[in-house]
Amino acid sequence: MAHGPSQNFFSRWLFSTNHKDIGTLYLWFSFAMFLLGGAFAMVIRAELFQPGMQLIKPEFFVQMTTMHGLVMVFGAIMPAFVGLANWMIPMMIGAPDMALPRMNNLSFWILPFAFAILTSTLFMEGGGPNFGWTFYAPLSTTYAPDTVNYFIFGVHIMGASSIMGSINIIATVMNMRAPGMTYMKMPMFVWTWVITAFLLVAVMPVLAGAVTMMLMDINFGTSFFDAAGGGDPVLFQHVFWFFGHPEVYIIILPAFGVVSQIIPTFSRKPLFGYSSMVYATASIAFLSFIVWAHHMFTVGMPIAGELYFMYATMLIAVPTGVKVFNWITTMYKGALTFETPMLFSIAFVILFTFGGFTGMMLSIAAADTQYHDTYFVVAHFHYVMVAGAVFSGTAAVYYWLPKWCGRMYDETMGKVQFWIAFIAFNITFMPQHFLGLAGMPRRYSDYGLQFADWNMVSSIGAFLYGGAQLLFLYNVIRTIGWGKPISDPQVWEGAQGLEWTLPTPAPFHTFSTPPVIK
Amino acid sequence: MSSENSYYVPEQSKLPLAAATGMGVMAYGAASWVIEGGTSTIFLIGTLIMASVMFMWWSLVIKENTQGIVSDQLKHSYVLGMYWFIFSELMFFVCFFGSLFYVRVLVGPWLDGEAAIGWFDDTATDAAIANATHLWPGYDAAWPPIVTPDQVVTLAANPDATEFQFKGPKEAMSFPGWSFSELMAWLPLWNTVVLLTSSGTVHIAHHALKEGDRKKFVRWLGLTVLLGIFFLFLQAEEYIHAYQELGLTLESGIYGTTFFLLTGFHGAHVTLGTIMLLIAFLRGAKGHFNETDHFGFEAAAWYWHFVDVIWVGLFLIVYVLG
């Protein structure tokens, strides 16, 4: 395996079998999608800047909320973590590459096709998907535009991509660990990803089933979601959330993994309670399968169902609490420094915990009747998705970028970006809690005058937050092109793990001969 | 690749991008096809790309294997890949079985205005009461549902009505009872016999191969393929019977919906499994497998056992309890 990357640009990036190149492709693709989904968010916040209809029509507004959700969840966050997994897992477990390198490239290249199909619907007759990212029937079936069929098949191939990517990760972790790298010696990031991959393989087929039922109901006269034929629209919600709840952990577990790598490095202490971290992650994954209907407290479930899903949901706070306390205890009495990745990680711990607590509020079935489908829910899941997943993804890029490209990013610019992002994030989403509690419903293009002030504040925060992402993009490009060259394998003095034994920048092929772990 | 490294990382390949293109074209084509006025052209082009890429890809993997560059560790990656692929397929069926359970056990009684499960509380939910009083008055839930709620309401308003959005079947695919002669005339039972037998024959083929009896392997594997085709033939017969005699179609309410989706996706998987076994048969006839190295066949055999297990679930839940 002496050969390096192909000299031909197209051949290198189109036909790759290299885990680093494919990881890079995933990361750039996800950032492009992040900007696209962010642009949709800007449209939403611009329209909501003031009450009344200013810029766009309501029909287009709901397409924006739908596409923002779909693009961010499936196009930005998920591929970002798959990109990190591609880059880091072989380096962390001492493997030469991913287990199935060609399938790896197939998993990636499906995504541009899937999202081209999905976004092209915006320009078609009838417009894009307008039924919310959760695409509840009958909005997504009986009342959907014809273009919903493109959405359905787009989701199908995107799911195939996720399943193949996950199988690859499972096979890599189970089969490619270097001698001596036992399961309980694996870095937390690897652990969280293998559990995530398991969740993906389990629930992506259920999503495929859900969209297949939609397809049949729309085009072939079946009645899954039609009570007139003996079906039930609520069946859609059950099937969707049986996929959807594990899905939100698919998004957040790798983020836990990233933070569990970064905090020990900048605390200069090993991770506190490693094995409890592993078991907590596994418990969260298990619980994610049996709590789905807490998204549906207001559909008219029997009281026994409401109670069960309420209590089961509250249980999730236990393993999540274990994790939060472990991160805090890792920092306790550590020799802390606050480089950009650490700042993002600490912000993650604080803001994710905040989002977790609003989640506890929402888990109370009786109280949820008040919060359901309001901006309180929007605020809750943006605290865990943005301050959780996106912050940790940003932290991961700052943390590993010097290892990837052998150049150091600009620390000052990184810190400036962090503080803008941190403050702007809170300006954007904190007021949405108040709006939600006061009764403002989500997904509407207009609102009553009593909501005007906080909406304006939220919009200003959103534009600022969007600007911070451009700074991030600039800093990354600047680092890759003109950053200060470094060659120390140990980029961060406190970092532990196999990836830091490799030269900087990381060579094209990882461990041609497996290292031996004592 | 160098000698000290046992894991084979393949050279760059055009196949993944071609496969992704095929999938993209297929997805776009399928969507434009199902929309009214659409045609199948783009979908067929995508299918053609996909089929040729898959042929080339697997030919390449087989070639790599016969050249001996596939290490035991890489083979284990393939094994793990197949395990988890089958697991994902299982979850696809879990989705449809779960939906059947939900509509059958819970939705029926709710449409009828009753509490579905009285373990904790016998009172019907407000939603169920509203169903019975406002939406579907007169609907009497039963399984298999021969009439749909739509039918009941439409007929109540107009007893001469013949047009319905969902018209229940004349008859369902129910269990004929325990009498011997009726059981013998019951097609699903024969389907079960055929499929269980095929699981046995593929097992015999596997053992024959492990013992090095190549001829016996090919013979029993060939028999398995024939049984798979026979099963599909019987299934087609059953569908024709359902459509022409029982009035049981995709449109006949939730019963037709769940029946055809569950058995139909199973049939699709039997088709895929038969193709996999057929390829293994052709390769076996060419002398590709030996006692220890035959994962191409083994994967197909596992898949075959998997569709068999799904069928047993279908037989018990959809047919016997149906």
Side-chain angles (χ1 to χ4, degrees):
Chain A
M1 285 204 315
H3 55 84
S6 165
Q7 294 309 308
N8 181 312
F9 176 84
F10 290 103
S11 144
R12 173 174 181 184
W13 295 105
L14 295 178
F15 311 136
S16 181
T17 48
N18 179 278
H19 74 101
K20 298 194 181 80
D21 279 358
I22 297 171
T24 304
L25 286 170
Y26 263 110
L27 289 169
W28 278 114
F29 174 79
S30 84
F31 198 84
M33 288 294 111
F34 185 55
L35 292 183
L36 179 68
F40 295 153
M42 294 301 109
V43 173
I44 293 168
R45 281 321 315 174
E47 178 54 53
L48 294 176
F49 189 72
Q50 284 182 319
M53 299 306 301
Q54 281 89 26
L55 304 168
I56 53 174
K57 292 199 164 73
E59 308 80 89
F60 189 67
F61 184 88
V62 285
Q63 292 174 35
M64 285 293 102
T65 54
T66 305
M67 289 296 284
H68 167 70
L70 290 170
V71 166
M72 285 305 198
V73 168
F74 296 109
I77 300 179
M78 286 170 67
F81 284 114
V82 181
L84 291 172
N86 256 300
W87 255 99
M88 300 317 298
I89 288 177
M91 288 165 72
M92 285 176 154
I93 62 173
D97 205 294
M98 295 294 280
L100 302 160
R102 281 180 297 226
M103 193 170 83
N104 199 11
N105 201 29
L106 172 57
S107 309
F108 170 74
W109 279 106
I110 290 171
L111 290 179
F113 286 99
F115 282 89
I117 290 173
L118 185 62
T119 45
S120 70
T121 59
L122 283 173
F123 305 101
M124 290 179 188
E125 199 187 323
N130 56 5
F131 25 71
W133 87 273
T134 54
F135 48 103
Y136 279 7
L139 267 183
S140 62
T141 53
T142 316
Y143 304 106
D146 277 347
T147 58
V148 66
N149 292 298
Y150 291 95
F151 160 83
I152 289 172
F153 285 105
V155 168
H156 266 304
I157 60 172
M158 188 211 72
S161 153
S162 284
I163 291 170
M164 283 189 278
S166 309
I167 288 176
N168 213 342
I169 286 169
I170 295 175
T172 306
V173 173
M174 292 180 86
N175 194 31
M176 308 282 286
R177 281 169 292 125
M181 174 63 82
T182 58
Y183 280 112
M184 290 310 276
K185 279 185 188 163
M186 291 194 311
M188 249 345 266
F189 180 71
V190 180
W191 255 118
T192 53
W193 238 116
V194 76
I195 290 170
T196 303
F198 171 78
L199 290 179
L200 276 165
V201 177
V203 300
M204 275 294 160
V206 177
L207 177 66
V211 291
T212 304
M213 291 178 198
M214 280 166 59
L215 181 78
M216 298 305 290
D217 270 15
I218 294 168
N219 301 297
F220 301 102
T222 57
S223 54
F224 281 109
F225 309 133
D226 196 335
D232 187 354
V234 178
L235 169 64
F236 177 85
Q237 300 184 24
H238 282 291
V239 176
F240 178 82
W241 286 113
F242 186 82
F243 148 79
H245 200 74
E247 167 70 19
V248 301
Y249 294 136
I250 285 163
I251 287 171
I252 205 66
L253 291 185
F256 288 167
V258 166
V259 169
S260 303
Q261 299 298 130
I262 294 175
I263 289 182
T265 295
F266 298 101
S267 306
R268 290 157 186 82
K269 275 175 67 192
L271 182 68
F272 184 88
Y274 168 83
S275 52
S276 70
M277 271 318 213
V278 173
Y279 296 129
T281 311
S283 311
I284 293 173
F286 169 75
L287 288 170
S288 74
F289 284 106
I290 56 168
V291 297
W292 73 90
H294 66 214
H295 297 270
M296 311 157 46
F297 279 144
T298 59
V299 297
M301 271 189 292
I303 194 78
E306 303 256 333
L307 289 174
Y308 162 72
F309 283 108
M310 172 167 95
Y311 292 133
T313 302
M314 289 174 174
L315 276 183
I316 300 171
V318 178
T320 312
V322 169
K323 287 185 153 295
V324 171
F325 285 117
N326 278 344
W327 289 319
I328 294 170
T329 324
T330 304
M331 288 186 270
Y332 180 65
K333 288 193 173 169
L336 299 178
T337 49
F338 300 96
E339 286 84 348
T340 311
M342 182 63 162
L343 288 174
F344 273 105
S345 299
I346 294 172
F348 168 95
V349 175
I350 296 166
L351 297 178
F352 175 80
T353 306
F354 192 100
F357 280 130
T358 54
M360 293 308 291
M361 292 171 70
L362 288 161
S363 76
I364 303 163
D368 181 69
T369 316
Q370 167 80 12
Y371 312 141
H372 193 89
D373 258 349
T374 68
Y375 263 80
F376 189 79
V377 179
V378 176
H380 156 72
F381 68 70
H382 281 91
Y383 265 75
V384 288
M385 293 281 142
V386 181
V390 177
F391 273 27
S392 96
T394 316
V397 169
Y398 278 120
Y399 183 57
W400 283 310
L401 188 62
K403 169 57 79 181
W404 296 339
C405 66
R407 288 171 186 277
M408 200 60 186
Y409 63 86
D410 184 327
E411 190 64 61
T412 315
M413 209 190 297
K415 281 181 177 155
V416 168
Q417 187 222 328
F418 166 76
W419 285 108
I420 298 176
F422 179 80
I423 293 166
F425 168 82
N426 282 294
I427 296 177
T428 312
F429 294 107
M430 183 68 80
Q432 296 187 0
H433 291 103
F434 315 145
L435 289 168
L437 290 177
M440 179 170 164
R442 65 192 281 207
R443 291 173 177 152
Y444 277 71
S445 51
D446 195 4
Y447 48 83
L449 287 177
Q450 71 273 31
F451 304 126
D453 294 349
W454 284 127
N455 265 302
M456 191 178 281
V457 171
S458 180
S459 288
I460 292 168
F463 302 143
L464 207 55
Y465 186 81
Q469 304 316 312
L470 299 178
L471 195 58
F472 179 43
L473 177 65
Y474 175 72
N475 203 355
V476 169
I477 292 176
R478 205 185 145 275
T479 308
I480 296 169
W482 305 274
K484 187 168 125 297
I486 50 167
S487 56
D488 184 5
Q490 192 75 26
V491 175
W492 310 105
E493 49 150 317
Q496 304 280 327
L498 282 180
E499 76 263 39
W500 307 108
T501 64
L502 287 164
T504 302
F508 188 65
H509 289 291
T510 303
F511 289 99
S512 297
T513 35
V516 177
I517 290 92
K518 288 186 282 290
Chain B
M1 71 174 221
S2 59
S3 55
E4 78 267 25
N5 175 36
S6 57
Y7 201 84
Y8 171 61
V9 177
E11 297 286 333
Q12 295 201 314
S13 169
K14 297 185 173 71
L15 290 169
L17 182 62
T21 311
M23 281 176 87
V25 174
M26 269 177 92
Y28 186 89
S32 59
W33 185 15
V34 293
I35 292 174
E36 222 177 314
T39 61
S40 58
T41 321
I42 301 176
F43 176 74
L44 290 177
I45 293 170
T47 314
L48 207 65
I49 299 175
M50 229 13 224
S52 32
V53 172
M54 282 163 86
F55 181 79
M56 286 189 275
W57 196 323
W58 267 300
S59 301
L60 177 66
V61 173
I62 291 166
K63 202 176 94 197
E64 285 169 354
N65 195 40
T66 47
Q67 284 170 349
I69 51 178
V70 178
S71 65
D72 286 346
Q73 198 187 5
L74 177 57
K75 278 178 195 156
H76 190 58
S77 291
Y78 289 148
V79 170
L80 288 167
M82 195 65 198
Y83 279 161
W84 291 97
F85 171 63
I86 290 178
F87 175 69
S88 78
E89 292 276 54
L90 176 73
M91 289 306 293
F92 185 74
F93 280 97
V94 164
C95 172
F96 284 93
F97 275 112
S99 300
L100 173 62
F101 170 84
Y102 179 79
V103 291
R104 184 172 167 174
V105 177
L106 301 172
V107 173
W110 284 341
L111 289 174
D112 191 334
E114 287 165 24
I117 302 177
W119 299 334
F120 305 98
D121 190 348
D122 283 335
T123 48
T125 60
D126 291 348
I129 293 164
N131 274 331
T133 47
H134 298 300
L135 291 174
W136 319 110
Y139 177 65
D140 217 354
W143 196 273
I146 296 298
V147 288
T148 64
D150 166 44
Q151 223 174 332
V152 173
V153 171
T154 311
L155 282 176
N158 174 15
D160 302 324
T162 50
E163 291 293 312
F164 307 97
Q165 191 190 355
F166 300 107
K167 186 171 185 295
K170 285 205 284 282
E171 214 179 305
M173 285 282 175
S174 305
F175 187 55
W178 291 105
S179 109
F180 182 75
S181 58
E182 277 177 339
L183 273 180
M184 286 297 105
W186 195 41
L187 199 61
L189 184 69
W190 287 106
N191 261 339
T192 311
V193 171
V194 169
L195 214 52
L196 286 180
T197 311
S198 75
S199 236
T201 54
V202 82
H203 189 68
I204 294 171
H206 196 177
H207 269 267
L209 182 59
K210 276 187 183 163
E211 285 153 16
D213 191 344
R214 199 80 69 78
K215 263 201 171 132
K216 190 177 168 193
F217 161 69
V218 173
R219 238 181 295 129
W220 284 93
L221 185 55
L223 182 60
T224 313
V225 173
L226 290 179
L227 285 169
I229 295 170
F230 187 49
F231 172 89
L232 289 169
F233 170 75
L234 289 182
Q235 191 75 358
E237 274 294 308
E238 186 186 38
Y239 278 11
I240 293 168
H241 172 68
Y243 260 78
Q244 294 185 343
E245 282 153 54
L246 304 182
L248 176 60
T249 70
L250 271 175
E251 286 95 0
S252 48
I254 197 64
Y255 184 75
T257 299
T258 52
F259 174 79
F260 283 109
L261 264 285
L262 274 162
T263 57
F265 272 116
H266 177 263
H269 284 74
V270 172
T271 311
L272 186 61
T274 308
I275 293 170
M276 286 161 79
L277 287 175
L278 182 66
I279 292 167
F281 170 77
L282 295 174
R283 289 184 63 195
K286 275 176 84 177
H288 269 190
F289 303 117
N290 62 39
E291 293 89 330
T292 50
D293 186 13
H294 51 255
F295 183 65
F297 161 70
E298 215 165 20
W302 288 343
Y303 197 77
W304 195 250
H305 290 310
F306 159 72
V307 295
D308 207 26
V309 169
I310 296 292
W311 176 260
V312 172
L314 277 178
F315 180 65
L316 292 177
I317 294 171
V318 175
Y319 289 98
V320 176
L321 297 176

